[in-house]
Amino acid sequence: EFRRVLFRSVAPGAMDWHEGWTDEARRDAIMDSIPQQRIGSFDELAGCITWLALDASYVNGQVLKMDGGRSVWLK
């Protein structure tokens, strides 16, 4: 019996910094590791999830990396 199983997920990268963040050296290191040189926004994350849930009907078995290219450098 064929069973339709949808597996789709989003792996967000660096998003907004916590209000109490004090480790500037770590923040700089993270920013240096992101090819787009910026963190993602929650609106971008919501748009990505919305697209994946509503419009990507033929996408299955994928983890969508939404990280500004950082995962390429972390391998």
Side-chain angles (χ1 to χ4, degrees), residues 13-17 21 23-40 67-70 73-74:
M15 301 300 283
D16 198 8
W17 309 109
W21 184 281
D23 190 346
E24 292 298 320
R26 181 71 180 136
R27 183 188 311 225
D28 292 343
I30 290 170
M31 290 299 289
D32 287 344
S33 70
I34 302 172
Q36 289 190 356
Q37 291 295 295
R38 66 179 184 85
I39 59 174
D67 62 4
R70 186 170 188 232
W73 300 107
L74 296 178

Side-chain angles (χ1 to χ4, degrees), residues 6-10 52-54 56-63:
L6 292 178
F7 169 72
R8 301 182 288 217
S9 62
V10 176
L52 199 57
L54 301 177
S57 62
Y58 203 62
V59 175
N60 192 7
Q62 299 298 311
V63 176

